[in-house]
Amino acid sequence: MGERRVLVIGARNDRFGRLDFVEPVTRDLHRTVTDSELGACGPALAGGQDLLINDAATCSRIKAALRAAIQAAAADQATLFVYFLGHGHLEDEDLYLIGSDTPGPEQVDSESAVPIGQLVKEALRQHSTIDGLMLVLDACHVGAAITDPVPGLLRTGLAVRMEILAAARGDETVSRGCFTRSLIGLLNRGSTMTADEYLRAYDEHSRLRLVAPPDCNDMPEAIHVSLRGSPDAGLWLGRNHVADIRPSLMGSTDAAEVARLTRNFVHTPYFDQLMALRLSGQSPIAISGGAGVGKSALLSALGRASVAGEFGLDALVTVHPGETLADIAERLRPQLELSTDYAAAAIRWMSDLPSVEVEATPVFDRVISGPMANLMNSARILVGVDSVDLLSTLERRRLFESFPRRPGAALIVAGREVPDAPAQINLPDRDAENVHIFLDIIVDDNDARAHISRASDGDWLLARILAGLWRAGRYRYDGELPSNNLDEVFNWAFAVAIEGAPNAPTEGVLAILATAQVGPSMPYE
């Protein structure tokens, strides 16, 4: 259980167009995904079988290998990755992968080609104990086949978690293997843009263009679809050996949030103000402001090694609705225990008390108050607590009081309103200069960027939503400014979501979000 297995297929068929690059790119991909430090996958089939290439990639062999690989992974409750490079064919709503022996474009059916949706659906129905399946497809027409949410591939009845990562091109060609070559580059180099120790398709599909080879600068954004997803990281693409995160946060539940929130981090004067307060010995420091102004991003930036350096966070936690100080302490504990200063303080605190009294001490005092009161003056500990406004006033004050005034020990919190913190950084709802810098980073179309900048008028939330619509290919301005009314823009985004995925439970998801408490996370996974 927990094994990662791979089947790599490179099928060249010149009857559908010459793809001279298939063999070298497929072999390079296979070498990368089976490297224990990169893709970390073992062979999908007994006897080390994990590669079908060129003449060996016939339709019958591809079908047999796929069925056998899914069956074997299900038997061992393993995860399976299937990579395909070659031609694809779309017939009505049905997607076919082309084998090396498929006769030609006029003779594509379930006998002469690989009906990938039907095959995978049937195999998963029979072998539902598989831990997960990832299809990575670099073939013509795949992008059109897996949207909405996946007609022609998997309509209903999927009982296991599955992800699809695919190339997308307007002219429906496989385009020099750019998608696969970019993926190989990502796995080999890692991503310094994320704080996550794993490379996930969810995070990285929109960044493949940034690592594309020089002759692939016209490559469009890849498409990623997740079905019956899981909160664990079992379907990660590879290890990220250059993760930009403070060591103590690595592997914590908030590490992924650090990566998400700082993906397009803008170094503003408020960050300099925060660092100045930190270096002056102020504590607690509160970052406050309205929805979408960047409170969590500013706090999370201290979790990235490249941003905060040695003055970054030693521990970070986000308060969830209904949590107590004891819950927070338990989630901070494994991060804090990596600090030698904290570990020494905890030992000093425990040595002054009988073991019976230590065990009877409340969790928060045992993990936070006691050790913090025993820190040496030379100790350096920085703890971050996001959404601190979800705590009651009494709990928040108790949290603040547990951090002594020592030069190296500090608490930084974030929330919409935190009036009881002695040091404050208030982020404005409108920040035209820094919103413009943010748009320069994520919108590379000059006209669209200018329109979004004028429409958002320095409003962070409006700018993020409009930029998201542009990145999704749904931003249409035609020379006129879109609405700068937040309600209208939200309605526009909702309409785009529903239109883009009419079979998905979009309205149900929105209803859940509308009833959730204020904060960056939901009460339950």
Side-chain angles (χ1 to χ4, degrees):
M1 187 172 181
E3 265 191 287
R4 292 165 52 82
R5 299 177 181 177
V6 69
L7 176 64
V8 180
I9 304 167
R12 177 173 174 175
N13 188 326
D14 291 346
R15 288 179 289 275
F16 289 77
R18 290 183 63 85
L19 301 179
D20 296 335
F21 53 82
V22 166
E23 180 171 357
V25 172
T26 301
R27 293 195 184 280
D28 196 8
L29 172 66
H30 176 258
R31 185 165 48 250
T32 301
V33 298
T34 56
D35 187 302
S36 61
E37 297 301 317
L38 301 175
C41 286
L45 300 172
Q49 299 177 59
D50 55 9
L51 177 63
L52 290 176
I53 194 166
N54 290 342
D55 291 343
T58 63
C59 292
S60 61
R61 287 190 177 184
I62 294 173
K63 293 174 188 176
L66 279 169
R67 292 190 184 100
I70 290 173
Q71 181 179 1
D76 297 330
Q77 297 182 10
T79 55
L80 175 64
F81 294 77
V82 177
Y83 290 82
F84 179 88
L85 175 60
H87 284 291
H89 183 87
L90 196 62
E91 194 71 40
D92 294 327
E93 290 187 332
D94 296 318
L95 175 67
Y96 296 89
L97 301 182
I98 302 303
S100 61
D101 59 343
T102 302
E106 323 72 38
Q107 297 174 270
V108 175
D109 54 33
S110 57
E111 295 297 323
S112 63
V114 181
I116 184 65
Q118 177 186 340
L119 189 154
V120 166
K121 183 175 178 179
E122 291 175 354
L124 291 179
R125 185 184 296 132
Q126 296 168 14
H127 307 290
S128 59
T129 55
I130 190 172
D131 191 46
L133 174 65
M134 168 77 85
L135 296 180
V136 184
L137 307 175
D138 192 354
C140 327
H141 303 288
V142 172
I146 71 169
T147 54
D148 181 25
V150 272
L153 197 58
L154 297 166
R155 282 191 176 277
T156 58
L158 193 66
V160 300
R161 63 180 179 141
M162 176 176 173
E163 293 187 31
I164 307 166
L165 178 62
R169 284 194 62 85
D171 57 8
E172 305 298 352
T173 67
V174 74
S175 183
R176 307 180 300 282
C178 287
F179 169 75
T180 299
R181 292 161 61 203
S182 300
L183 187 58
I184 293 168
L186 173 70
L187 292 173
N188 276 279
R189 292 196 290 272
S191 175
T192 58
M193 298 185 69
T194 180
D196 205 304
E197 60 186 312
Y198 299 109
L199 298 167
R200 294 183 176 87
Y202 176 84
D203 302 308
E204 302 299 331
H205 76 279
S206 61
R207 290 199 284 259
L208 279 179
R209 290 182 298 179
L210 303 180
V211 296
D215 62 329
C216 293
N217 56 12
D218 60 340
M219 186 181 82
E221 189 172 298
I223 293 177
H224 174 250
V225 174
S226 179
L227 305 172
R228 296 184 64 86
S230 171
D232 75 73
L235 289 177
W236 43 271
L237 293 167
R239 302 185 191 280
N240 186 17
H241 49 86
V242 294
D244 179 24
I245 189 170
R246 295 269 303 167
S248 58
L249 272 59
M250 186 73 78
S252 71
T253 56
D254 283 85
E257 280 297 281
V258 170
R260 182 183 69 82
L261 291 165
T262 60
R263 180 177 297 176
N264 299 300
F265 178 69
V266 176
H267 187 123
T268 67
Y270 304 106
F271 179 80
D272 296 330
Q273 183 183 348
L274 176 61
M275 292 302 292
L277 287 172
R278 168 76 182 97
L279 294 174
S280 71
Q282 294 273 1
S283 179
I285 303 168
I287 306 167
S288 60
V293 299
K295 304 180 295 296
S296 298
L298 181 55
L299 176 58
S300 294
L302 297 176
R304 298 191 71 155
S306 65
V307 175
E310 62 181 304
F311 300 103
L313 290 166
D314 295 287
L316 172 66
V317 70
T318 299
V319 179
H320 298 159
E323 281 192 323
T324 66
L325 289 178
D327 298 322
I328 294 168
E330 288 288 15
R331 291 203 283 128
L332 286 171
R333 186 205 302 263
Q335 300 174 59
L336 288 170
E337 287 176 342
L338 296 176
S339 164
T340 54
D341 288 336
Y342 172 86
I347 291 172
R348 281 193 295 273
W349 175 74
M350 286 188 291
S351 65
D352 291 337
L353 295 173
S355 58
V356 174
E357 191 172 335
V358 170
E359 290 300 320
T361 303
V363 172
F364 180 77
D365 293 328
R366 195 159 65 242
V367 176
I368 303 296
S369 301
M372 291 300 169
N374 283 269
L375 286 172
M376 302 292 287
N377 286 331
S378 60
R380 200 209 75 82
I381 294 285
L382 180 60
V383 175
V385 179
D386 196 6
S387 298
V388 74
D389 49 332
L390 294 183
L391 295 173
S392 69
T393 302
L394 289 177
E395 285 188 309
R396 193 165 60 244
R397 287 178 179 169
R398 188 178 172 208
L399 174 66
F400 290 174
E401 290 167 358
S402 68
F403 281 80
R405 290 294 300 271
R406 287 187 173 84
L411 172 69
I412 302 178
V413 301
R416 293 200 178 186
E417 293 184 3
V418 194
D420 38 2
Q424 296 275 344
I425 297 176
N426 298 110
L427 302 182
D429 290 337
R430 296 187 182 276
D431 186 356
E433 181 179 350
N434 289 303
V435 165
H436 184 75
I437 295 172
F438 166 73
L439 292 173
D440 272 344
I441 295 172
I442 67 169
V443 180
D444 57 16
D445 179 283
N446 292 334
D447 291 337
R449 184 168 61 247
H451 279 81
I452 293 172
S453 182
R454 291 203 298 274
S456 59
D457 191 25
D459 186 302
W460 281 105
L461 191 53
L462 269 172
R464 287 192 174 99
I465 298 169
L466 293 173
L469 287 163
W470 175 81
R471 287 169 68 87
R474 302 304 299 270
Y475 185 78
R476 300 289 183 268
Y477 46 89
D478 297 327
E480 293 187 13
L481 286 177
S483 171
N484 60 1
N485 179 286
L486 191 57
D487 286 341
E488 291 181 12
V489 173
F490 265 118
N491 287 335
W492 178 14
F494 296 159
V496 166
I498 293 169
E499 180 185 345
N503 297 323
T506 311
E507 293 184 0
V509 171
L510 295 177
I512 293 171
L513 293 175
T515 58
Q517 291 180 263
V518 171
S521 59
M522 300 291 287
Y524 302 101
E525 293 286 2

